[in-house]
């Protein structure tokens, strides 16, 4: 049970810190040089993953992302029951993190332009958003699988590698969708934000999971060929 609780707490902290950087420090629409920009938000998400990896990595592997869990499952590193429970507890953690943000916004004067930093896309931009979320999740999961591989991975530096990759992914993808690459990060905020974010939520579930699946397939193929060459 400890690993499931770790995934829940880790995802809660990721949403609380990453999305919190948008809610309380994000740029207000139409303003210049006010609050955190894309780079600062990207750093908030990436640094959260770095910190959490070294806290929960030895307990659960610190997936804190259903797309990562799907990639790990499809690469044969964990069983189906564990994968399903990981995803459930990750979503619960994302909801808890969003709940804390919602309470903070609702009980004080320090608030940003969004209640929970949900993901979204503009009219006519659905295809662009789907491609972006799929491709950048693919990159993120591929790096995560490679960095944590027992034979070819980055060892104790894996958490840093994965966190910095998340920073990179956010820098590029924030202008397109606000960057999800993590269904649990999107579900919680959407539930508290409401409105059009609910109708768009499917994309931020399907696209990251698709990217995670492709990432796992590609890693299995290239790592298998690498083993043959060795």
């Amino acid at each position: 049970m400890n690993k499931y609780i770790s995934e829940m707490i880790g995802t809660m902290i990721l949403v609380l810190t990453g999305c919190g950087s948008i809610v309380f420090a994000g740029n207000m629409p139409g303003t210049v040089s006010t609050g955190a920009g894309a780079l600062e938000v990207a750093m908030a998400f990436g640094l959260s993953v770095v910190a959490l990896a070294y806290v929960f990595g030895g307990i659960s592997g610190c997936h804190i992302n259903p797309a990562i869990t799907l990639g790990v499952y499809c690469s044969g590193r964990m069983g189906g029951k564990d994968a399903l429970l990981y995803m459930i507890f990750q979503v619960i953690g994302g909801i808890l993190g969003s709940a804390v943000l919602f309470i903070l916004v609702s009980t004080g004067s320090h608030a940003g332009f969004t209640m929970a930093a949900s993901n979204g896309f503009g009219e006519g931009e659905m295809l662009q958003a789907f491609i972006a979320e799929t491709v950048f999740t693919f990159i993120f999961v591929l790096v995560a699988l490679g960095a944590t591989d027992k034979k070819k991975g980055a060892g104790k530096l894996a958490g840093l590698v994965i966190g910095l990759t998340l920073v990179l992914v956010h820098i590029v993808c924030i202008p397109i969708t606000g960057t999800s690459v993590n269904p649990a990060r999107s579900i919680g905020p959407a539930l508290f934000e409401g409105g059009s974010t609910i109708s768009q939520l499917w994309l931020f579930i399907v696209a990251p999971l698709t990217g995670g699946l492709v990432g796992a397939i590609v890693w299995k193929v290239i790592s298998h060929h690498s083993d043959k060459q060795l």
Side-chain angles (χ1 to χ4, degrees):
M1 194 66 184
N2 288 345
K3 55 189 177 183
Y4 306 136
I5 298 299
S6 296
E7 286 296 307
M8 181 183 72
I9 295 173
T11 311
M12 179 187 74
I13 294 173
L14 176 68
V15 170
L16 186 58
T17 55
C19 294
S21 70
I22 302 172
V23 172
F24 293 108
N27 281 319
M28 297 290 288
T31 65
V32 179
S33 300
T34 301
L39 180 58
E40 291 90 341
V41 171
M43 290 294 290
F45 276 100
L47 290 176
S48 297
V49 167
V50 172
L52 293 168
Y54 292 106
V55 175
F56 298 118
I59 302 173
S60 68
C62 193
H63 299 182
I64 58 176
N65 182 340
I68 294 287
T69 297
L70 179 62
V72 173
Y73 167 71
C74 291
S75 64
R77 299 186 192 176
M78 72 186 306
K81 179 183 176 182
D82 267 350
L84 178 60
L85 288 172
Y86 265 47
M87 292 181 186
I88 291 172
F89 276 83
Q90 288 158 1
V91 170
I92 293 172
I95 294 173
L96 290 176
S98 297
V100 174
L101 287 177
F102 183 82
I103 292 169
L104 288 172
V105 171
S106 303
T107 56
S109 59
H110 298 284
F113 61 92
T114 173
M115 292 294 287
S118 60
N119 297 111
F121 52 88
E123 185 176 353
E125 297 174 351
M126 182 181 71
L127 181 59
Q128 181 189 49
F130 192 94
I131 293 172
E133 287 292 330
T134 300
V135 170
F136 288 113
T137 307
F138 157 73
I139 295 170
F140 184 49
V141 171
L142 183 64
V143 170
L145 292 175
T148 56
D149 186 89
K150 290 183 178 180
K151 294 182 179 179
K152 314 174 189 68
K156 292 182 179 180
L157 292 177
L160 181 61
V161 172
I162 296 168
L164 291 177
T165 302
L166 189 60
V167 172
L168 176 62
V169 164
H170 270 77
I171 291 173
V172 181
C173 197
I174 280 175
I176 304 174
T177 63
T179 309
S180 170
V181 299
N182 182 344
R185 173 261 182 267
S186 296
I187 292 173
L191 294 178
F192 286 93
E193 197 92 43
S196 62
T197 59
I198 297 295
S199 62
Q200 294 182 355
L201 180 58
W202 68 271
L203 186 145
F204 299 103
I205 297 174
V206 176
L209 290 178
T210 301
L213 176 62
V214 176
I217 293 171
V218 170
W219 174 249
K220 286 189 72 173
V221 171
I222 61 178
S223 63
H224 177 69
H225 284 299
S226 176
D227 288 336
K228 279 188 173 182
Q229 290 175 357
L230 292 174

